Amino acid sequence: MNIAGKSYRTVWLDGDGAVKIINQLALPHEFEILELRNLAAAVRAIRDMQVRGAGLIGAAAAWGMYLAALEAGEGSFIRDLEAAAAALKATRPTAANLAWAVDRMLAALAAPVGTVSAETALAERRELARREAQAVSDEDAECCRRIGLYGLKLIAEAAERKRGKPVQVLTHCNAGALAFVDYGSALSPVYAAAEQGLKVHVWVDETRPRNQGAALTAWELGQQGIDHDLIADNAGGHLMQHGMVDLVITGADRVTGRGDAANKIGTYLKALAARENGVPFYTAFPSSTFDFSMGDGLAEIPIEERDPDEVRRISGKTASGLIETVQICPDGSPARNWGFDVTPARYITGLITERGICGASEEGILSLYPEHR
Ligand code: MRU
């Protein structure tokens, strides 16, 4: 991702040995890089949402396991890593990528390292942890790059129909480069299209209560020079009724083997509006977001319920440039705050993955992922 003309990933191991992240709590007002030097810092970063987005919390958790490997004792290595895995998995329940990345790290680290001294074995395991976390990061970025190339075809087809007018894409929350290691899922096709010289414009849902659309999607699109407008969460249906949306592309946090998709709260309503208005609705995600152990997403996907203060309050920059949080409801108003909802597969036109685009159904998914048959 381009930030002020420099290329960045959202998480990386720096030459000084620290894992670095872009602090998403400071965006869009400040660009700040933070260091994670131990497991506790990685757990905090994911729990408090300094890093967020399905792919990125998976990669950050993989780096958390690497940091845990540096801290783990010689005689208690696997036990320490299992405890680290439990702490990381407890941070956020809905995105499948987190548990997937942690389990992958555990599996790699539990493998025997051969007949070497205990000291060498520890050093080898730590190096193995570094390589595996790097592989999780690199694969996440590569999957997202490929999602962009497949999704590009949809935008190119729409561009032909539009005969020179910009293709209008609506997106919800932030499933851009900031939600992954690089490129993003829902926004990757937009970046690929812009790179090909296609005219594309993005409607950015603000995405209450945490405003990932307003704070993050609008910021990253601006950094990449993509034409966009921020809209109130409730505006999408109106735009679709008036032919102002050519396609909806959202990300996903967990997708079941039947194609039901959990994504940021409010996604389901956009899917309903899209169906009512004949607008294609696509869900873009890497295969690490699949949960093949689940079928019925509504019944089975765990939905994170968060602090109601996120609904009662809103933060932003005042006219004098201060970042302030204000209360927007009566004192003591009760509130509830579900972080995600599930869009049933029947409302999804297609799934855009790193292996191609398929129907949102067991059959469609198995055509791309036959090993899960
Ligand atoms: O709560 P967040 O910000 O971690 O939510 C995740 C998301 O950003 C969205 O649901 C996104 O659309 C899918 S994750 C790439």
Side-chain angles (χ1 to χ4, degrees):
M1 160 182 39
N2 228 342
I3 300 170
K6 205 173 149 195
S7 169
Y8 281 90
R9 282 184 166 191
T10 54
V11 63
W12 67 97
L13 180 65
D14 217 350
D16 63 2
V19 173
K20 303 268 170 84
I21 56 168
I22 296 172
N23 179 12
Q24 301 200 17
L25 294 179
L27 291 172
H29 308 298
E30 227 177 285
F31 179 68
E32 181 184 59
I33 290 171
L34 297 179
E35 284 187 3
L36 309 179
R37 289 221 174 250
N38 49 43
L39 168 68
V43 168
R44 222 174 16 252
I46 299 170
R47 191 195 53 218
D48 298 349
M49 295 179 69
Q50 289 169 335
V51 288
R52 34 64 52 201
L56 177 54
I57 61 179
W63 285 112
M65 290 293 281
Y66 161 72
L67 293 168
L70 299 185
E71 294 172 285
E74 207 175 282
S76 57
F77 188 83
I78 295 297
R79 256 197 335 275
D80 291 351
L81 267 285
E82 281 170 352
L88 286 161
K89 282 185 184 180
T91 53
R92 300 204 61 198
T94 300
N97 310 57
L98 195 151
W100 169 85
V102 166
D103 288 341
R104 173 172 164 169
M105 292 294 292
L106 260 188
L109 292 172
V113 286
T115 47
V116 286
S117 72
E119 210 175 289
T120 313
L122 187 62
E124 278 185 19
R125 284 212 158 97
R126 287 174 175 165
E127 172 55 14
L128 197 64
R130 187 196 63 75
R131 283 206 305 267
E132 197 67 13
Q134 189 62 53
V136 169
S137 279
D138 292 346
E139 286 170 28
D140 181 84
E142 176 57 14
C143 284
C144 286
R145 191 186 69 79
R146 294 174 65 89
I147 286 169
L149 298 182
Y150 286 113
L152 163 64
K153 291 183 195 153
L154 300 172
I155 297 181
E157 281 162 20
E160 256 178 50
R161 289 193 298 272
K162 299 282 308 241
R163 297 164 187 261
K165 288 203 194 124
V167 175
Q168 304 286 348
V169 176
L170 183 141
T171 195
H172 191 69
C173 196
N174 174 263
L178 286 169
F180 290 86
V181 173
D182 206 350
Y183 299 97
S185 58
L187 294 186
S188 188
V190 169
Y191 296 140
E195 219 175 283
Q196 295 285 309
L198 297 175
K199 281 193 201 150
V200 57
H201 168 270
V202 183
W203 297 112
V204 179
D205 284 352
E206 59 180 343
T207 319
R208 279 282 287 149
R210 288 186 67 97
N211 291 318
Q212 288 96 327
L216 305 176
T217 300
W219 182 81
E220 78 162 82
L221 288 173
Q223 292 292 325
Q224 314 318 299
I226 304 288
D227 195 18
H228 64 279
D229 282 292
L230 180 62
I231 53 172
D233 278 337
N234 305 326
H238 170 76
L239 298 185
M240 292 186 217
Q241 283 178 321
H242 289 271
M244 294 164 77
V245 180
D246 296 307
L247 72 161
V248 179
I249 313 180
T250 74
D253 295 271
R254 190 183 296 241
V255 179
T256 71
R258 288 188 211 158
D260 296 340
N263 194 51
K264 184 54 58 193
I265 192 83
T267 304
Y268 169 54
L269 288 175
K270 295 295 140 58
L272 290 180
R275 169 58 56 88
E276 164 72 10
N277 291 285
V279 174
F281 180 100
Y282 286 93
T283 302
F285 59 95
S287 54
S288 47
T289 302
F290 270 123
D291 185 340
F292 285 98
S293 76
M294 292 186 179
D296 179 349
L298 267 185
E300 295 177 79
I301 297 179
I303 300 295
E304 176 177 5
E305 193 169 348
R306 301 182 54 81
D307 186 344
D309 276 347
E310 292 181 351
V311 178
R312 291 189 196 107
R313 297 176 182 168
I314 197 158
S315 299
K317 187 158 74 172
T318 66
S320 54
L322 291 175
I323 307 301
E324 301 255 20
T325 299
V326 295
Q327 181 183 309
I328 58 166
C329 59
D331 289 347
S333 235
R336 297 286 297 272
N337 184 14
W338 291 273
F340 300 89
D341 59 26
V342 173
T343 299
R346 63 182 178 279
Y347 294 111
I348 302 174
T349 310
L351 306 174
I352 313 173
T353 76
E354 78 275 10
R355 292 198 192 172
I357 301 177
C358 67
S361 63
E362 196 172 347
E363 204 190 6
I365 292 167
L366 290 177
S367 71
L368 291 184
Y369 294 87
E371 68 273 30
H372 289 281
R373 197 170 285 283

